[in-house]
Amino acid sequence: MTAPTLLRMTAPLREDFEIAYHDVGDASRPPALALVAGIHGDELNGIFVLARLANFLNSVAAGSQPEHTLRERVIVVPAVNVLGVNVRNRRWPFDDTDINCMFPGYDAGETTQRIAHAVFELTRQARYRIDIHSSNLDFEEMPQVRLYEPQPAERETARLFGLPAIVELHTQNVFTTTINYSWRNDPGENFVIQAGHAGALQPPICEQLFRSLVAFLQRAGILHGTGVSSDDDAVHYFAPNQTVPLISEHAGLFISHQEVGRWLQAGDVIGHVFDGYSGALRHEVHAPVSGLLSGLRRQPLLFEGDLIARIQCRHAVVDGIEIHLSDQGQ
Amino acid sequence: MQITQDSVITLELPYREQLQIWRTTFDSGLEPGRRGPTVAIVAGIHGDELEGLYVCHRLAGWLEQLNATRPEALLGRVELYPALNPLGIDTLQRFVPVFDTDLNRSFPGHPKGLLPQRLTDAVMRQLTGAALVIDIHASNVFLREIPQVRISEDFQDTLVPLAREMNIDVIWLHGAITVLEATIAHSLNSRGVPCLVVEMGVGMRITPAFTAQLMAGILRVWRRLGVFAADLAVPELTHEPVVADNSNVHYLNAATSGLFVPEVDHWTSVARGQRLGSIVSPHEGRVLSEVRSPVDGLLFTLREYPVVYEGSLMARIMALDPAMTSGRGAT
């Protein structure tokens, strides 16, 4: 069977390339859900999870999973930046463009504008739209739903994933060219999921993400059946003023024994910064507030002004710095 | 005249080294009330754009010569920042290394933010109060640009009169774009510090002729602002800009992938239907696509890097009113 493609383009010296997707369910109806991953070629968790989810949904649609019924149409794009995946490049490899800075795209424009346009046109008609990311190579995020200036319905729907954290953030200027931002102009609900870190395929995170997506499908009425849905763990909702980024004032080698997803008390040790030449301890990094450790640095080489951790507080925080990790693409 | 060099910010790198942004300053030393305005050149925001570095070198040489011959002619203060992204230039990376961040999408910055934000915050603090900042870019490695100033329509009333004396060939007015609000130009202009964005040449190269052209304009504008004594001789203006905007700029994007081979020179008048080049296949002798001008106009952007993907920009042409066409395009 030939896979449907949302775009087919020539390449300078290779074969033509295409962006394939899965279209599962009644193709005569508008899709209820569109899932996109791999806009960044090094974010592998989302690619793997969406490929596995498409495999599952295709088997349901084929009648191979009699305990499940697919009630609505679902679009799944496991990887947008196909060439980037193959050459392990986060951006579009030819001109180093971040595809998530090209939305809503333009069908007569630059290559990445054309890619963005095709992805956007395919997905915009869905009732629910989900863009999956895995941070970057240096920083790990616990699986979480990200909302950017959401509608009330999106706040409620975000709980259907059953992921432990829902984090609401302001949209910064540099993120007005993302697919998530562009989706907002159409009726429907939009979600970003962050899970793990780039450059790795993390099985426990993929398992959690897979179960949360199936739970979402079931709870949203798209998939009927039982047996795969996520556990109903406590879901914590964090408003924009409940996020504290911890930024380093010291450079060196950073070492941490913490894991994302843990609850910290103010003063708990997050890690240590050592001088890479003398070996001396330069700084002990403490949690400035109590809260959920939603993100943690995995790259040991630490600059002054580098992000060490992100903590979600139960209460509003005054003077939180609005940092933007533009290399996270969200 | 006082000539000094200092760094406006120092940040630690992981292993023993530091990241600093260096500035060279030429100051009249006159007391407040008698002294002229402060002006600045910033360059090297993108580590692969080198034209601005060479402009800084030439301006420094010109000012050093002035110091030797007529130092009292400097009434104000000139600050040169040849490399806002020094680590990018030293490692041949367009963005801030490791952070993989476009520094020109990180303004106005924050003193306690991430490293790119700390860099931009430090620069903004230094430039606040300047009478004019000129931010020099050099396109990218793909496209060659004729010397031009790009101006957001939000600030055209202030900036267009300055740009007209910059000895450039094109003034390009563009609409407000939200994502560009994180640029140095928008951040300065929105705070009342006039900032002109110059684009010229091509990435990873320098074009001495463009440098000389732009220098004449910069010195002329600085003199007009009172940075120099009114009777100080500066090079004559040799270029008068035409004005482009979204209504008259045409983009030529590649219809297919291959090798783009231009058949015309950069910055020439072209006629509607004229063949500008072709896209060919390295695998076979045939031409895959002919590239023709959609309008009568001026070819002010031309692709330098031959490999194209479907959609790659090959040229930009500014359409001209037929009555205006004759005599334009000479350099």
Side-chain angles (χ1 to χ4, degrees), chain A residues 20 48 63 66 100 114 134 136 139 143 239 243 266 295 318:
Chain A
F48 181 62
N100 213 18
R114 297 178 186 212
S134 297
N136 58 35
F139 198 80
T243 296
V318 180

Side-chain angles (χ1 to χ4, degrees), chain A residues 42-46 134 136-137 195-203 206:
Chain A
D42 62 353
E43 298 181 9
L44 306 181
N45 288 331
S134 297
N136 58 35
L137 291 168
H197 65 84
L201 205 161
Q202 300 166 281
C206 292

Side-chain angles (χ1 to χ4, degrees), chain A residues 13-276:
Chain A
L13 287 163
R14 298 175 297 125
E15 291 296 301
D16 293 356
F17 69 94
E18 59 187 26
I19 302 174
Y21 67 98
H22 299 270
D23 190 342
V24 194
D26 184 353
S28 67
R29 303 174 59 186
L33 171 66
L35 294 139
V36 174
I39 289 180
H40 296 135
D42 62 353
E43 298 181 9
L44 306 181
N45 288 331
I47 295 170
F48 181 62
V49 167
L50 287 196
R52 295 295 300 157
L53 183 70
N55 183 274
F56 170 68
L57 294 177
N58 277 316
S59 70
V60 171
S64 305
Q65 305 268 354
E67 68 275 26
H68 292 98
T69 308
L70 188 63
R71 291 177 162 174
E72 304 236 35
R73 182 181 169 199
V74 179
I75 300 286
V76 183
V77 188
V80 171
N81 187 1
V82 175
L83 184 58
V85 174
N86 283 328
V87 300
R88 301 184 195 174
N89 193 325
R90 181 174 188 79
R91 301 166 184 257
W92 178 245
F94 181 65
D95 60 8
D96 209 28
T97 301
D98 185 338
I99 295 176
N100 213 18
C101 291
M102 305 308 288
F103 286 95
Y106 175 42
D107 62 356
E110 280 279 354
T111 311
T112 47
Q113 288 179 304
R114 297 178 186 212
I115 292 172
H117 172 81
V119 176
F120 181 64
E121 289 300 318
L122 177 74
T123 55
R124 65 188 298 185
Q125 55 187 325
R127 191 186 328 143
Y128 302 111
R129 300 170 287 245
I130 302 170
D131 179 25
I132 301 177
H133 288 268
S134 297
S135 189
N136 58 35
L137 291 168
D138 293 350
F139 198 80
E140 177 167 12
E141 301 277 5
M142 68 177 288
Q144 60 193 269
V145 183
R146 290 261 178 95
L147 299 174
Y148 293 87
E149 294 162 6
Q151 302 297 316
E154 291 173 318
R155 292 194 178 99
E156 286 305 310
T157 306
R159 296 180 179 278
L160 302 184
F161 294 98
L163 290 172
I166 301 168
V167 179
E168 189 175 322
L169 297 166
H170 294 301
T171 300
Q172 296 170 359
N173 290 339
V174 291
F175 295 150
T176 54
T177 52
T178 64
I179 190 171
N180 181 264
Y181 188 86
S182 296
W183 278 337
R184 287 161 48 169
N185 293 319
D186 286 309
E189 298 181 24
N190 311 303
F191 307 93
V192 171
I193 291 178
Q194 282 279 4
H197 65 84
L201 205 161
Q202 300 166 281
I205 286 175
C206 292
E207 174 70 15
Q208 183 180 11
L209 200 51
F210 181 86
R211 294 172 70 87
S212 76
L213 292 176
V214 173
F216 179 88
L217 284 161
Q218 292 179 327
R219 290 166 181 161
I222 298 167
L223 179 72
H224 180 70
T226 57
V228 189
S229 69
S230 169
D231 299 331
D232 287 326
D233 293 333
V235 175
H236 301 277
Y237 197 100
F238 301 99
N241 57 5
Q242 291 176 261
T243 296
V244 176
L246 184 55
I247 299 173
S248 177
E249 298 301 325
H250 303 269
L253 298 177
F254 173 72
I255 296 172
S256 174
H257 297 293
Q258 290 286 358
E259 296 290 338
V260 295
R262 285 185 184 167
W263 287 88
L264 302 175
Q265 297 296 316
D268 282 355
V269 175
I270 292 180
H272 297 88
V273 181
F274 290 90
D275 187 302

